[in-house]
Amino acid sequence: MSQTAVKASGVTDAPDAGRWKALVFIALAQLMVVLDATIVNIALPSAQQDLGISDGNRQWVVTAYALAFGGLLLFGGRIADLWGRKRTFVVGLAGFAAASALGGAATNEAMMFGSRALQGVFGALLAPAALSLLAVMFTDAKERAKAFGIYGAIAGGGGAVGLILGGFLTEYLNWRWTFFVNIPFAVVAAAGAYLVIREPKGGRNRSPLDVPGVILSTLGLVALVYGFTRAESEGWSDAVTVGMFVGSAVLLLAFVIVESKVKAPLLPLRVITERNRGGIYLSLGLAIIAMFGLFLFLTYYLQIVKGYTPVKTGFAFLPMIAGMITGSTQIGTRLMTRVAPRLLMGPGFMVAAVGMLLLTQLEVDTSYAAVLLPGMLLLGLGMGTAFMPAMSMATQGVEPRDSGVASAMVNTSQQVGGAIGTALLNTIAASATTSYIADHIGGAATRSQQQLVQLEGQVQGYTSAIWFAVGILVVAAVIALTFVNAGRPGGSAVTGSGAGETAEDELPVPVVAH
């Protein structure tokens, strides 16, 4: 949001004296959310074994969070406008801490899935409130760029910290501590926010809440992901599976119709129908589908097939994180003002697809240095390069009243993409594994041979799903090159819902997928 846009929305330009202190606590909250996302991936195999979660259900530890978070983000952004950003931020932190305590104390899979869904609900309050607070507290262009830069660096670096911390906590303490560690983060951030943050007056949106929109969008997304998940155990032709997909289509269509009729829609359609933003949301969602499934498979491949400890698994993921940070800060940021966004996004997704292609060569005895290292490095480099201009473009050229929902849509496309990706690719992997084992187990005479067939079946499942992920990334690249037609920032106007706003009016809002 430009300074002009801030004024237009009725928010004062006077800088808050405590804004830099406030940034510390806002960034701490963001670090907690990013840590949680990566920590849980590392702890998942231990938690699954401890709680007796089946292979078919294990992805719900990730999916329950991603679906609740993605499904309720637009609602969370609207609540922040209605209640006030500071209050929503503090409530989100308190709820996230309580849900984390519940997850750490889980005694069965239902309790674990419930706690993850609750984390997603409160995360959906927390994330848009944090970004909104930064937007209204930092109105000077240079200060705002610096604040969002710090926020983005913590968000990106937090992923690497989470992978390693998750490994140490799981290996030397217990997987439960990967949940309990959120509590001190949340308490400090909430206390600091309550004492330091002074939200500018006049920034609330008092429009009536679009309750039908909230209900239809949430139920539609839940039905969609449940359909993908059920297909794994019951098959794609199962009556309930088909019913879920049909129900989802009906609910989401009804949501679009409602949004086009109501006076204060949860998601104004002008935000997503603009060509550039629509292309960005779609290509980002597809890219995240590919990435989330891969995180799950690589975690299991490294720990179960290769026998890595949780700590070693965390360090094994570092090349991907390093590639992402390098692609974002050294390639995406440097070239963003020199070339059109599509010329970074399209090639970026293609480089990621090449990295993913390398990972289709996985076998039981694959060398980490020869295949996994270059594959993850290229994947991270490509994603980082593509994400930076995408994040910047997704919030450019919007009317001030739409800036919050445009930011929330970036998170929504990522979280829903993650939920669908985990469910869909897990379904493909499980089906390929079952088929491979059925075809080869007959020739395994000894117990060691049978165990080898089981491991080979798992790897066959992973590579089958990764092939689909390669195709999805290629489609994301084509969409980015075709739909996103805006010129380079500063070079030409970016079309949008707000008249007269050009690309240089906006600053990138970093958002990290969990």
Side-chain angles (χ1 to χ4, degrees):
M1 192 190 302
S2 64
Q3 291 184 63
T4 305
V6 171
K7 290 174 185 173
S9 63
V11 179
T12 180
D13 266 299
D16 184 344
R19 61 195 179 282
W20 291 107
K21 289 179 185 176
L23 174 63
V24 173
F25 299 110
I26 293 169
L28 188 64
Q30 173 66 9
L31 178 62
M32 176 192 71
V33 174
V34 177
L35 278 175
D36 181 76
T38 48
I39 274 179
V40 169
N41 272 328
I42 296 295
L44 189 50
S46 300
Q48 180 186 356
Q49 188 175 3
D50 232 17
L51 300 178
I53 301 172
S54 68
D55 283 352
N57 283 340
R58 73 186 177 203
Q59 93 265 11
W60 276 105
V61 177
V62 177
T63 302
Y65 174 86
L67 183 62
F69 190 94
L72 293 170
L73 260 168
L74 294 172
F75 178 54
R78 182 67 186 84
I79 287 293
D81 287 339
L82 197 62
W83 282 1
R85 297 168 184 88
K86 175 179 172 178
R87 184 187 299 172
T88 307
F89 183 70
V90 173
V91 169
L93 281 167
F96 200 92
S100 297
L102 187 66
T107 55
N108 54 51
E109 65 177 37
M111 197 170 165
M112 169 61 74
F113 300 155
S115 71
R116 289 292 286 160
L118 274 176
Q119 279 186 314
V121 170
F122 287 105
L125 287 177
L126 185 58
L131 283 173
S132 299
L133 281 169
L134 285 189
V136 298
M137 295 180 80
F138 292 91
T139 53
D140 176 77
K142 288 184 180 178
E143 282 195 353
R144 192 165 183 269
K146 188 176 179 182
F148 274 119
I150 293 168
Y151 183 85
I154 288 172
V161 176
L163 289 168
I164 297 167
L165 182 61
F168 274 104
L169 290 172
T170 303
E171 192 167 335
Y172 297 115
L173 290 173
N174 186 286
W175 64 265
R176 296 180 185 279
W177 282 95
T178 62
F179 286 88
F180 293 145
V181 75
N182 290 330
I183 297 169
F185 277 101
V187 169
V188 172
Y194 183 78
L195 295 171
V196 173
I197 291 176
R198 297 286 179 270
E199 185 179 353
K201 293 179 181 178
R204 292 194 189 183
N205 181 346
R206 303 286 188 180
S207 301
L209 190 62
D210 175 20
V211 176
V214 172
I215 294 170
L216 289 169
S217 62
T218 305
L219 290 179
L221 293 168
V222 168
L224 182 64
V225 176
Y226 183 67
F228 279 114
T229 305
R230 189 176 171 84
E232 177 185 357
S233 56
E234 304 300 328
W236 293 93
S237 58
D238 172 67
V240 178
T241 302
V242 174
M244 283 293 156
F245 287 130
V246 172
S248 171
V250 171
L251 286 163
L252 293 176
L253 179 61
F255 171 68
V256 172
I257 294 169
V258 166
E259 297 308 277
S260 68
K261 304 289 186 187
V262 296
K263 288 183 178 179
L266 183 70
L267 174 60
L269 297 182
R270 59 183 171 270
V271 172
I272 55 173
T273 53
E274 195 276 313
R275 176 173 178 160
N276 288 286
R277 278 192 297 278
I280 284 166
Y281 297 146
L282 190 55
S283 60
L284 272 182
L286 287 169
I288 296 296
I289 285 175
M291 275 194 70
F292 261 59
L294 183 76
F295 283 150
L296 186 67
F297 300 140
L298 282 185
T299 299
Y300 275 85
Y301 174 79
L302 291 170
Q303 290 193 38
I304 293 172
V305 179
K306 302 295 282 184
Y308 282 20
T309 64
V311 170
K312 192 175 179 182
T313 302
F315 279 103
F317 271 104
L318 284 181
M320 187 187 296
I321 303 294
M324 274 186 152
I325 293 172
T326 303
S328 177
T329 60
Q330 302 304 311
I331 302 174
T333 304
R334 289 173 184 269
L335 295 180
M336 200 167 59
T337 56
R338 301 179 187 180
V339 300
R342 67 179 180 276
L343 299 181
L344 286 173
M345 291 177 65
F349 288 138
M350 287 305 296
V351 168
V354 171
M356 198 80 87
L357 191 63
L358 277 175
L359 296 173
T360 62
Q361 307 307 306
L362 287 182
E363 293 177 1
V364 172
D365 58 351
T366 294
S367 159
Y368 176 84
V371 177
L372 285 154
L373 176 64
M376 287 198 284
L377 200 56
L378 284 172
L379 182 65
L381 204 61
M383 288 294 198
T385 301
F387 279 9
M388 188 60 196
M391 297 307 172
S392 175
M393 279 292 299
T395 53
Q396 285 178 355
V398 295
E399 295 178 26
R401 61 186 168 139
D402 293 339
S403 59
V405 80
S407 296
M409 266 304 297
V410 179
N411 260 321
T412 302
S413 65
Q414 290 177 319
Q415 292 302 328
V416 173
I420 292 172
T422 306
L424 174 62
L425 296 181
N426 203 48
T427 301
I428 293 165
S431 175
T433 296
T434 302
S435 177
Y436 182 92
I437 292 172
D439 289 345
H440 294 81
I441 199 71
T446 66
R447 180 165 176 76
S448 61
Q449 288 175 332
Q450 290 172 352
Q451 288 176 334
L452 180 61
V453 168
Q454 294 278 352
L455 289 177
E456 287 173 345
Q458 286 188 40
V459 176
Q460 178 67 29
Y462 302 153
T463 54
S464 297
I466 292 170
W467 271 111
F468 273 86
V470 172
I472 290 169
L473 280 175
V474 171
V475 173
V478 171
I479 288 171
L481 289 167
T482 307
F483 281 71
V484 182
N485 63 353
R488 63 183 176 83
S492 62
V494 177
T495 55
S497 61
E501 286 191 270
T502 57
E504 63 263 39
D505 285 328
E506 292 284 344
L507 292 164
V509 179
V511 186
V512 173
H514 318 131

